[in-house]
Amino acid sequence: MRIPLLLTFCVFLSPTSSLAADLPLEAGVCAGCHGEQGQGINNLGPRLAGLPAQYLERQVNLFKGGSRQNVTMHAMAMGIGGEQLQKVANYFSAQPVQPVAPVRRGEQTAYTDPAAKLVYQGDWSRTLPACATCHGPATIGVGQIPRLAGQQADYLKNQLVAWQQGKRAGDPDNTMGNIAGKLSGAEIDALSSYLANLQ
Amino acid sequence: MPGAAPTPPPLWAAYFAYPAYRKKNDKVNSYQERLQGCMTYSMNGKAPPLGSPELVAFAAYSYWLGMGALMDKYGVPGPVPELDDEELLKGGKGDDFPLPDAIVRALPVDERGKLPGRGYPLVEKPTGGYSPQRGETVYRQHCQLCHGADGQGYASAGIPTLPPLWGPDSFNWGAGMHRVNTAAYFIHENMPLGKSIQLTPQQAWDVAAYINSRERPQDPRFDGSVEKLRQRYHQHTGYYGQSVDGGPVLGAKAYPNFPPQQDSGD
């Protein structure tokens, strides 16, 4: 397993970083895959920066309970809880993300890119609301609903596929499971790269 | 296409239902007056004046959607015929409204108000009645995610994103949505957004009663007396002018209409 390796890797690395002072001890291990500022590291871990703290906390608990199935994160989640988890979630939540110009509803009415059309208008013939209706203008997130803009494309794709395959659950009232179930494989690919490039 | 889905009630079905009498203001309303009503009541806003370019544009879009759908359905070829502004603003239910012959024959004036999607499908009132208290439980479980623990919705980057259901920025006491039956129909058909679950009729009525038993902006027809307005316009399944659970009389502390902060665009 590569986890112990990464553990030593980031404990070793964090003292040399200029931001080490801000990074709570408990978050050191997470930084190995998610970055010291939660900015995400390609092929290791998605961006956590700027996501709602309660959302982050709940996701870790979903990994723990098995509603979200991921071997690496299950192991990580088992090692953290309670106040420590809160502290880590608050830390990553407070980290800056690159601003994205928000798009107002109706600013543009005709779309040629089918992915953009799904993001801003949805497809009501399938009772598919626009992603931006729930995820906020330009999908920068709103309330407890996470930001998508600028997240890693592979990660976004894996999540939508995980919902389709029953490997991710625990979202309130199966809100996102229902949406993901209506998307085709080609749409998932197109949406993931469209959203990842919104930055 | 925005406005085209059969539920929520599409603009185009309403287009062919006006001019029509409305109890709300006790007169025959043209389509442009009906549009003004949406802005004055449901949006707690200030409507553009009669004949304004904004109302012409809304009416043109509604007409274009509706006429296009009817022409497809009855096999009428060619582009949607153009209308002058005056005709557009009246609505499609007038005796003299210009329509291709095939459509006039298939849809006499009386039938035009009943196009699919006009109004909300009825959801029968539960035999045991409805309760705001039970509705609060439904709200916490199924609505709070988007409309907030305090019912005030959410903004993101200063842009209103998920709408409030009561309080100063919500629809006002004159909007159809403040009626428990109307809200129950709307909610049963459309909420939670995306319909990942289907509420039971009982849940829809209870939660409609919950959101509509809290204070919101005043009924724009208010002229100083909550009681007088209640008697004149609120003899229906709503809570205006009533006290719920010993609380203050609803409407007595109503929020202002079209509050100035809405001018700033966020």
Side-chain angles (χ1 to χ4, degrees):
Chain A
M1 283 285 317
R2 61 180 200 212
I3 298 166
L5 256 177
L6 280 157
L7 260 167
T8 38
F9 170 72
C10 49
V11 169
F12 182 70
L13 190 110
S14 38
T16 61
S17 154
S18 57
L19 280 148
D22 295 324
L23 189 73
L25 203 59
E26 298 87 343
V29 55
C30 321
C33 292
H34 293 288
E36 292 208 341
Q37 288 189 283
Q39 72 274 25
I41 302 179
N42 280 337
N43 302 320
L44 285 181
R47 183 182 65 196
L48 304 181
L51 295 177
Q54 264 176 286
Y55 169 83
L56 291 173
E57 212 182 316
R58 206 164 48 77
Q59 299 309 313
V60 171
N61 288 325
L62 292 174
F63 284 118
K64 215 180 267 186
S67 300
R68 275 188 79 165
Q69 293 170 25
N70 181 273
V71 179
T72 313
M73 266 314 295
H74 178 71
M76 294 285 62
M78 292 313 275
I80 193 165
E83 268 175 42
Q84 284 187 324
L85 175 54
Q86 265 176 24
K87 202 163 147 191
V88 170
N90 287 334
Y91 169 76
F92 285 121
S93 180
Q95 299 309 303
V97 262
Q98 203 171 330
V100 174
V103 179
R104 280 176 186 266
R105 234 174 161 179
E107 214 166 81
Q108 191 181 337
T109 52
Y111 290 91
T112 45
D113 176 353
K117 193 170 165 62
L118 281 173
V119 170
Y120 298 108
Q121 296 184 329
D123 178 359
W124 281 101
S125 70
R126 291 182 272 172
T127 318
L128 200 55
C131 315
T133 302
C134 290
H135 287 276
T139 70
I140 58 174
V142 59
Q144 288 300 310
I145 304 181
R147 175 192 184 105
L148 305 174
Q151 182 59 284
Q152 297 160 7
D154 284 350
Y155 173 75
L156 294 171
K157 175 178 173 173
N158 289 343
Q159 300 314 301
L160 295 167
V161 172
W163 263 305
Q164 289 189 333
Q165 297 179 341
K167 290 180 181 157
R168 180 168 176 175
D171 47 322
D173 280 337
N174 188 36
T175 307
M176 217 21 241
N178 172 54
I179 305 270
K182 293 175 180 175
L183 299 172
S184 71
E187 284 173 331
I188 289 180
D189 287 342
L191 281 164
S192 303
S193 71
Y194 180 85
L195 293 166
N197 287 310
L198 270 183
Q199 43 188 285
Chain B
M1 198 171 315
T7 62
L11 292 167
W12 63 266
Y15 187 77
F16 289 97
Y18 287 89
Y21 171 79
R22 297 193 81 206
K23 256 204 319 217
K24 180 160 232 144
N25 49 14
D26 196 19
K27 63 171 194 164
V28 173
N29 286 216
S30 62
Y31 188 65
Q32 66 167 332
E33 288 170 306
R34 179 65 189 90
L35 285 171
Q36 284 187 321
C38 294
M39 296 160 195
T40 310
Y41 299 104
S42 309
M43 308 192 68
N44 193 38
K46 190 169 159 205
L50 293 173
S52 58
E54 291 84 356
L55 294 182
V56 171
F58 269 117
Y61 184 51
S62 312
Y63 163 73
W64 178 76
L65 280 175
M67 191 65 158
L70 291 177
M71 288 170 69
D72 285 350
K73 180 161 175 199
Y74 297 107
V76 181
V80 172
E82 266 189 53
L83 285 186
D84 63 37
D85 292 359
E86 199 184 330
E87 198 67 65
L88 259 180
L89 290 166
K90 286 187 206 159
K93 206 187 171 191
D95 284 326
D96 52 353
F97 189 79
L99 282 173
D101 284 346
I103 297 178
V104 178
R105 272 196 306 275
L107 269 186
V109 172
D110 299 347
E111 297 297 311
R112 282 181 222 156
K114 302 174 198 149
L115 291 173
R118 174 78 190 111
Y120 308 105
L122 299 187
V123 184
E124 217 163 296
K125 184 166 142 190
T127 44
Y130 49 87
S131 131
Q133 288 83 357
R134 278 198 309 263
E136 179 166 8
T137 313
V138 178
Y139 185 85
R140 301 273 162 247
Q141 275 177 7
H142 304 295
C143 319
Q144 185 165 302
L145 169 72
C146 295
H147 296 290
D150 57 1
Q152 299 313 292
Y154 291 97
S156 183
I159 299 177
T161 299
L162 295 162
L165 299 184
W166 64 84
D169 297 325
S170 66
F171 55 88
N172 66 38
W173 281 116
M177 197 64 83
H178 92 276
R179 297 165 62 148
V180 178
N181 56 345
T182 306
Y185 308 154
F186 173 83
I187 292 164
H188 188 263
E189 279 305 306
N190 300 296
M191 293 289 139
L193 191 81
K195 292 299 283 287
S196 59
I197 58 155
Q198 174 62 59
L199 296 180
T200 64
Q202 181 75 61
Q203 287 175 312
W205 279 79
D206 288 345
V207 77
Y210 173 68
I211 66 168
N212 281 329
S213 57
R214 358 217 77 225
E215 199 55 284
R216 58 179 65 262
Q218 188 54 273
D219 186 330
R221 297 164 298 189
F222 178 75
D223 68 354
S225 162
V226 170
E227 182 51 24
K228 258 178 34 204
L229 197 79
R230 185 186 74 78
Q231 285 176 15
R232 169 116 198 249
Y233 287 117
H234 289 265
Q235 302 295 331
H236 52 230
T237 58
Y239 290 101
Y240 186 82
Q242 297 178 40
S243 149
V244 178
D245 289 335
V249 169
L250 291 165
K253 292 242 164 68
Y255 298 97
N257 286 131
F258 188 50
Q261 71 265 21
Q262 294 195 344
D263 268 338
S264 70
D266 58 24

